[in-house]
Amino acid sequence: MPQSSVSNRIGIEPGDYGLDLAHSCGEDRIKGSMRALRNFTLCLCIGVALLAAQSLAAQDPPPVTNEKVPPVRTDLLSRITIEVSGGEKDTPVENASVYVKYVEERKLKKDKKLELNVKTNRDGIAHVPNAPLGRVLIQVIAEGWKTYGRWYDITDTKQVFKIRLQRPPKWY
């Protein structure tokens, strides 16, 4: 039996079972509405960004002054002087190594241990620049003398420490 006669008995016209572009699938309609929603939100975001940029550009810039304000130093550093002498007659000890050790406190990381090393001159005087205010360990090492070490509190920006070294005991 020809196909057209079978389709006529069922009630289908000859053009009904072919591809018809006028009727679309239900999924296509959902995708189309989602695409429209995405385009709408994109346009809305761009509009809000443009309005924000326009309001920022419309503000007055801060007034420019010609006065320069010097920066405030919060970390106070000092220059300490260490006078090293030794023996019964308080003779100056030259070329002695003077170590100044301190801890730099940090908030986020582990505390940092720092050390400054200077030598004494012929007069037995050592100047330590940029020593921090607070608690420091001063150690003195000199050939022929006992090693010295003690904790000090630096309270003044120009402080003088007098250190007297002892002779080591004799070995028999």
Side-chain angles (χ1 to χ4, degrees), residues 77-112:
L77 298 175
S78 63
R79 180 179 178 189
I80 60 173
T81 302
I82 300 171
E83 296 177 1
V84 181
S85 62
E88 296 172 0
K89 299 179 182 177
D90 285 337
T91 58
V93 179
E94 68 175 286
N95 205 21
S97 294
V98 178
Y99 297 93
V100 178
K101 298 180 182 184
Y102 62 96
V103 177
E104 182 180 283
E105 294 180 1
R106 297 180 174 179
K107 293 182 180 178
L108 297 178
K109 291 185 177 180
K110 193 175 181 181
D111 291 345
K112 188 175 181 181

Side-chain angles (χ1 to χ4, degrees), residues 82 84 96-99 138-142 146-149 163 165:
I82 300 171
V84 181
S97 294
V98 178
Y99 297 93
I138 297 177
Q139 292 178 320
V140 179
I141 300 172
K146 278 178 75 174
T147 303
Y148 176 87
I163 296 174
L165 299 179

Side-chain angles (χ1 to χ4, degrees), residues 11-141:
I12 301 174
E13 296 298 319
D16 285 347
Y17 54 87
L19 292 176
D20 188 12
L21 297 177
H23 297 288
S24 62
C25 179
E27 291 177 6
D28 291 339
R29 281 185 239 135
I30 293 173
K31 287 181 184 177
S33 64
M34 289 177 68
R35 190 177 312 124
L37 181 63
R38 185 178 60 215
N39 289 341
F40 174 73
T41 55
L42 180 66
C43 290
L44 185 65
C45 289
I46 290 173
V48 168
L50 287 175
L51 283 174
Q54 183 182 7
S55 66
L56 286 176
Q59 291 179 355
D60 293 333
V64 179
T65 60
N66 292 335
E67 299 175 18
K68 291 187 178 181
V69 179
V72 178
R73 288 190 62 162
T74 57
D75 54 338
L76 294 174
L77 298 175
S78 63
R79 180 179 178 189
I80 60 173
T81 302
I82 300 171
E83 296 177 1
V84 181
S85 62
E88 296 172 0
K89 299 179 182 177
D90 285 337
T91 58
V93 179
E94 68 175 286
N95 205 21
S97 294
V98 178
Y99 297 93
V100 178
K101 298 180 182 184
Y102 62 96
V103 177
E104 182 180 283
E105 294 180 1
R106 297 180 174 179
K107 293 182 180 178
L108 297 178
K109 291 185 177 180
K110 193 175 181 181
D111 291 345
K112 188 175 181 181
K113 296 178 183 177
L114 297 172
E115 177 179 317
L116 300 170
N117 182 16
V118 293
K119 294 256 187 184
T120 58
N121 58 14
R122 289 183 181 177
D123 300 327
I125 297 173
H127 298 286
V128 181
N130 301 332
L133 293 177
R135 192 161 175 81
V136 297
L137 174 65
I138 297 177
Q139 292 178 320
V140 179
I141 300 172

Side-chain angles (χ1 to χ4, degrees), residues 153-166:
D153 288 323
I154 301 176
T155 56
D156 191 17
T157 56
K158 294 184 180 180
Q159 200 165 351
V160 177
F161 296 104
K162 295 184 180 186
I163 296 174
R164 185 167 178 206
L165 299 179
Q166 302 291 325

